Amino acid sequence: MNALTATGEALVLIGTFFYFLSALGLIRMPDVYNRMQTSTKSATLGSLGVMLGVGIWALGTDFGNVAWLTKTITIAIFLLLTNPISAHTLIRAAYKSGIPLWEGSVVDRYREHLESRKAEVEEAEKTPEEGGEE
Amino acid sequence: MLKRSLAILTLLIIGYWLAQGLAGVPFGQDRMLVGHYYLEHVKEQTGAVNAVTAIVVNYRGFDTLGEVTVLFIASTGVAALLWRKKKKRSAKTEGSVVLTTGTRLLVPFVILFGSYIFIHGHLTPGGGFPGGATIATGFLLLYMAFTTYEIPHRGFEKTEGIAGMSYVLVGLIGLGIGGYFLFDWIWQTWQLGTDNIGRLFSGGFIPIIYILIGIKVGTELSGIIDNMVKEEVSE
């Protein structure tokens, strides 16, 4: 047991802890948006911890070499860049398909924005001299 | 209710019957008959480190040729079923800015990784089919993020046909040199890369065939996606 394996083990442990928190958030949270918020964030962080931990852990063992760390860092960067995009797309699709917010939600600026846009478009359609094609 | 319980009962009987059959199989014992031959001779006979790709492409190349044919027929069948004179994308909402920007950044890397998979088929897990499917995923991403994106049809269909024909051509060259179809002429006649086992330039004709299969599968699956997301335009 040297410093590298100890660091790796600690990182993997932190990562699995965040995985657990993300699964817990999936059960505990009241609506889709809160669930996505907890699960995506902590799952991304947990994966980063586990992957980097495995790479560093392998450096400290006698069978491991730098190739492990390179591969895990590549996968970690890929996951770090793609996970937020997929979470964003999922939440946006959920909102667009009309899934309601939690009843405790206070403010919904996006709906106000969409409604003001809609009102503007209707206003433009009502005035005949400026109304272009449909 | 009666239907469902009858179905469950039938499934249970079938499951018990299968379990009875499997109970006689001694798991964990060495029961390989031809497997030993493959594992012992794969390196000097094919030059590949990955025994699976060596078996799939080299020892049993006919199966792979059949699979490629099946995929080609599937792609042609989808195209024939959904054939219309005028077809257009019917999607109306473009993906959000985050999605389009992310796709634009990500697609080259997806295609690069797919190429990596099928070029290194004789060294790492994977091969032509996973690599080609990864490349098609890149094009699926483009289709989902942009409402107006379309693959360049003429180029794609020609590439697909040329890749498929080149596979048969490689086999026919083997027939001319070695006496039977899909004879590995690069390894057994030219002895190219014999002192290079485990590195990129080895493996006889496995990398060449997997590059061809990867290109073919990638273009084919992209073509299937293209056919399925389009709708008929009524004029």
Side-chain angles (χ1 to χ4, degrees):
Chain A
M1 169 84 94
N2 52 26
L4 283 169
T5 50
T7 322
E9 280 170 11
L11 274 172
V12 170
L13 199 65
I14 293 169
T16 44
F17 176 65
F18 275 105
Y19 274 148
F20 174 71
L21 283 189
S22 116
L24 194 68
L26 214 56
I27 301 166
R28 286 282 298 142
M29 284 297 159
D31 70 340
V32 175
Y33 307 101
N34 281 314
R35 278 182 201 155
M36 286 295 291
Q37 155 93 351
T38 48
S39 59
T40 53
K41 234 184 227 177
S42 46
T44 311
L45 187 67
S47 319
L48 288 184
V50 169
M51 283 168 193
L52 292 182
V54 167
I56 294 169
W57 193 346
L59 276 184
T61 56
D62 47 354
F63 57 87
N65 52 22
V66 194
W68 286 70
L69 190 61
T70 324
K71 271 180 201 168
T72 52
I73 284 176
T74 313
I75 301 168
I77 290 172
F78 186 77
L79 204 78
L80 186 67
L81 291 178
T82 51
N83 232 352
I85 298 175
S86 67
H88 162 85
T89 316
L90 277 172
I91 293 184
R92 196 177 148 90
Y95 193 91
K96 295 250 166 176
S97 58
I99 289 173
L101 271 66
W102 179 43
E103 61 264 23
S105 306
V106 182
V107 63
D108 189 359
R109 278 281 153 75
Y110 189 44
R111 166 141 303 157
E112 289 166 22
H113 170 72
L114 284 181
E115 273 165 5
S116 69
R117 281 278 292 277
K118 211 174 159 191
E120 269 175 31
V121 170
E122 275 167 7
E123 199 78 4
E125 274 173 14
K126 268 178 198 163
T127 50
E129 59 267 18
E130 283 168 59
E133 62 274 8
E134 307 188 30
Chain B
M1 196 62 216
L2 182 71
K3 233 180 184 176
R4 186 165 294 174
S5 44
L6 267 178
I8 290 170
L9 195 71
T10 322
L11 279 177
L12 280 176
I13 290 169
I14 292 172
Y16 177 72
W17 181 57
L18 284 175
Q20 277 291 325
L22 282 174
V25 179
F27 284 103
Q29 288 176 26
D30 192 357
R31 302 280 291 173
M32 287 195 288
L33 299 172
V34 281
H36 279 301
Y37 178 80
Y38 287 142
L39 289 179
E40 279 156 19
H41 297 89
V42 65
K43 272 191 191 170
E44 80 262 21
Q45 281 186 348
T46 67
V49 182
N50 185 349
V52 176
T53 52
I55 291 167
V56 164
V57 176
N58 220 315
Y59 290 110
R60 298 182 171 194
F62 272 110
D63 291 357
T64 313
L65 193 60
E67 278 170 36
V68 170
T69 317
V70 165
L71 258 178
F72 178 70
I73 291 170
S75 146
T76 321
V78 169
L81 276 176
L82 301 173
W83 189 77
R84 299 273 189 289
K85 275 235 169 76
K86 261 223 149 143
K87 283 186 28 168
K88 253 174 103 179
R89 300 283 311 272
S90 58
K92 287 188 181 64
T93 41
E94 189 103 343
S96 65
V97 184
V98 178
L99 182 64
T100 50
T101 314
T103 306
R104 216 171 264 147
L105 283 174
L106 208 65
V107 163
F109 289 103
V110 171
I111 290 174
L112 180 75
F113 184 60
S115 319
Y116 171 83
I117 293 175
F118 67 64
I119 289 169
H120 291 76
H122 55 302
L123 304 172
T124 55
F129 291 95
T134 313
I135 287 177
T137 314
F139 286 104
L140 175 64
L141 212 53
L142 283 172
Y143 267 108
M144 291 199 298
F146 302 101
T147 50
T148 52
Y149 180 76
E150 252 186 76
I151 52 169
H153 281 278
R154 271 171 203 282
F156 261 55
E157 276 142 27
K158 270 187 193 131
T159 319
E160 183 188 330
I162 287 168
M165 281 195 293
S166 308
Y167 186 4
V168 180
L169 193 70
V170 170
L172 283 177
I173 292 172
L175 184 70
I177 293 176
Y180 57 93
F181 191 61
L182 289 174
F183 173 78
D184 191 350
W185 42 284
I186 294 177
W187 185 258
Q188 307 215 10
T189 310
W190 291 4
Q191 311 244 310
L192 206 70
T194 6
D195 49 350
N196 220 5
I197 293 176
R199 300 200 190 91
L200 184 57
F201 293 106
S202 69
F205 71 2
I206 293 173
I208 292 170
I209 281 186
Y210 261 162
I211 287 168
L212 293 174
I213 291 177
I215 291 168
K216 189 168 164 57
V217 171
T219 47
E220 236 154 34
L221 295 181
S222 311
I224 291 178
I225 293 163
D226 175 76
N227 270 314
M228 292 191 119
V229 295
K230 279 179 166 176
E231 277 179 40
E232 194 180 1
V233 199
S234 54
E235 291 172 54

